[in-house]
């Protein structure tokens, strides 16, 4: 029997516009740590994190040449997984930043989609892993998020997202398969599209610790002066029981500027998860030397 809630969700999604409405109703839970960290930027981030196997040479050409890739680190993480030999794990993130607060000031929700490159030796010290990113789509209606991200040196494309209020929506009445589509709000050229279904029960090709590691690596772009210390909490109330966290499997298509030509990845694996986060903005990259790990929860 198809649930009324599932059918209603489908109805709302199919009839919605693609720009984030000012009165968006999201399925994401409220920020559970704002009171605990009143002077820091906190919120929740809900969506899909997936691993895209790409040729090492392609990753090398995308990452600025002065920064080595810590090949042995990601090979060690992936040695007992079905990840194809000789490939590099690019990281897809398609997510909703929700109930973001900083020093008592609320920031409107926004969606974002990006492909980044973890395990980069930004400090040239041979061991500190950071994640490099260049291009990102962000909700066109959130000028603050666009400006704040551009300050790191990212090329930010104002985006149009479907569904408009969450990072994914159900595409079937059984509420099993999900879809997400993001394009440039101006030209509809740049884009990332996702279609996922639950993977076989109990099958998680990449460990939860691997996801914790890559999503908590300090992030940087083309402003050489600053890095983003973005801490995902995997033990907060919004994430729930990690033993029940499921893997999704599906297809990802990305167009320019994320890749030189439109590329479709099949049999992609990832997780759909809601995390609380703490963000320490515009940190000296050197101050994050040796940083690793997720923070404590609420």
């Amino acid at each position: 029997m198809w649930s009324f809630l599932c059918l209603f969700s489908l109805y709302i999604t199919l009839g919605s516009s693609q720009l984030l409405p000012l009165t968006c109703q999201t399925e994401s839970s409220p920020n559970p740590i704002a009171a605990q960290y009143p002077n820091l930027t906190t919120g929740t981030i809900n969506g899909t994190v997936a691993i895209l196997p790409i040729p090492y040479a392609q990753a090398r050409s995308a990452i600025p040449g002065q920064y080595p890739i810590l090949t042995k680190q990601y090979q060690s993480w992936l040695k007992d997984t079905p990840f194809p030999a000789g490939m590099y794990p690019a990281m897809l993130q398609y997510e909703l930043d929700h109930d973001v607060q900083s020093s008592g000031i609320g920031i409107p929700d926004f969606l974002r989609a990006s492909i980044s490159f973890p395990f980069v030796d930004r400090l040239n010290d041979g061991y500190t892993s950071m994640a490099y990113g260049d291009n990102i789509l962000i909700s066109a209606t959130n000028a603050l998020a666009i400006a704040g991200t551009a300050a790191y040196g990212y090329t930010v494309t104002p985006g149009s997202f479907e569904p408009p209020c969450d990072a994914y929506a159900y595409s079937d009445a059984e509420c099993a398969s999900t879809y997400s589509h993001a394009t440039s709000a101006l030209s509809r050229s740049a884009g990332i599209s996702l279609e996922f279904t639950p993977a076989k029960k109990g099958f998680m090709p990449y460990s939860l610790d691997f996801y914790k590691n890559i999503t908590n690596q300090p992030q940087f772009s083309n402003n050489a002066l600053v890095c983003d210390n973005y801490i995902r909490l995997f033990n907060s109330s919004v994430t729930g029981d990690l033993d029940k966290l499921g893997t999704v499997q599906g297809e990802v298509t990305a167009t320019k500027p994320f890749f030189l030509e439109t590329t479709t990845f099949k049999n992609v694996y990832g997780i759909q998860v809601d995390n609380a986060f703490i963000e320490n903005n515009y940190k000296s990259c050197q101050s994050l030397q040796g940083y690793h790990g997720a923070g404590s929860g609420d």
Side-chain angles (χ1 to χ4, degrees):
M1 177 68 70
W2 297 349
S3 73
F4 172 79
L5 180 61
C6 183
L7 290 173
F8 182 73
S9 176
L10 280 170
Y11 171 77
I12 293 297
T13 298
L14 292 173
S16 62
S17 64
Q18 291 183 321
L19 291 177
L20 193 67
L22 295 177
T23 57
C24 222
Q25 296 296 316
T26 177
E27 297 295 324
S28 287
S29 300
N31 179 349
I33 60 171
Q36 187 177 353
Y37 302 99
N39 299 317
L40 298 177
T41 300
T42 63
T44 68
I45 183 165
N46 191 359
T48 304
V49 179
I51 307 303
L52 305 179
I54 64 173
Y56 178 87
Q58 186 176 5
R60 183 63 277 173
S61 67
I63 299 166
Q66 67 267 36
Y67 305 131
I69 299 175
L70 296 168
T71 309
K72 290 183 179 179
Q73 285 197 16
Y74 73 76
Q75 288 177 341
S76 176
W77 276 106
L78 299 170
K79 64 182 179 181
D80 296 321
T81 74
F83 191 80
M87 303 292 271
Y88 168 93
M91 177 171 58
L92 165 75
Q93 294 173 279
Y94 191 121
E95 296 165 309
L96 172 74
D97 284 64
H98 173 60
D99 196 13
V100 180
Q101 301 180 42
S102 182
S103 300
I105 300 173
I107 299 170
D109 288 5
F110 62 94
L111 285 151
R112 54 186 168 101
S114 65
I115 295 171
S116 57
F117 304 89
F119 301 102
V120 176
D121 190 359
R122 166 67 180 77
L123 301 179
N124 282 280
D125 63 6
Y127 65 90
T128 302
S129 287
M130 296 191 179
Y132 170 77
D134 187 5
N135 296 284
I136 186 169
L137 283 156
I138 292 180
S139 298
T141 52
N142 197 316
L144 182 61
I146 290 173
T149 304
Y152 283 100
Y154 288 92
T155 299
V156 182
T157 300
S160 177
F161 292 79
E162 176 60 39
C165 301
D166 288 293
Y168 55 85
Y170 294 112
S171 55
D172 62 347
E174 290 82 7
C175 290
S177 301
T178 61
Y179 73 92
S180 314
H181 304 305
T183 59
S184 166
L186 302 176
S187 66
R188 300 300 170 100
S189 55
I192 295 179
S193 294
L194 287 62
E195 295 181 359
F196 280 103
T197 57
K200 183 179 178 181
K201 187 175 182 179
F203 180 63
M204 181 175 275
Y206 313 120
S207 70
L208 182 59
D209 284 340
F210 177 70
Y211 288 110
K212 289 180 180 179
N213 181 287
I214 61 172
T215 58
N216 276 283
Q217 291 180 17
Q219 303 167 29
F220 73 101
S221 188
N222 298 310
N223 180 345
L225 299 178
V226 291
C227 286
D228 186 11
N229 180 207
Y230 196 97
I231 306 167
R232 285 179 183 250
L233 311 181
F234 279 81
N235 58 345
S236 76
S237 56
V238 297
T239 301
D241 187 351
L242 292 177
D243 291 333
K244 297 180 180 179
L245 184 64
T247 298
V248 290
Q249 177 181 8
E251 182 174 296
V252 174
T253 298
T255 65
K256 290 182 179 180
F258 297 101
F259 295 109
L260 294 178
E261 57 186 27
T262 298
T263 305
T264 297
F265 300 85
K266 298 182 181 294
N267 295 317
V268 171
Y269 290 98
I271 56 173
Q272 290 177 334
V273 63
D274 194 358
N275 298 116
F277 73 83
I278 302 167
E279 185 172 20
N280 298 301
N281 283 292
Y282 311 117
K283 299 285 289 183
S284 158
C285 297
Q286 192 65 42
S287 72
L288 299 172
Q289 185 172 30
Y291 181 86
H292 64 87
S296 60
D298 57 304

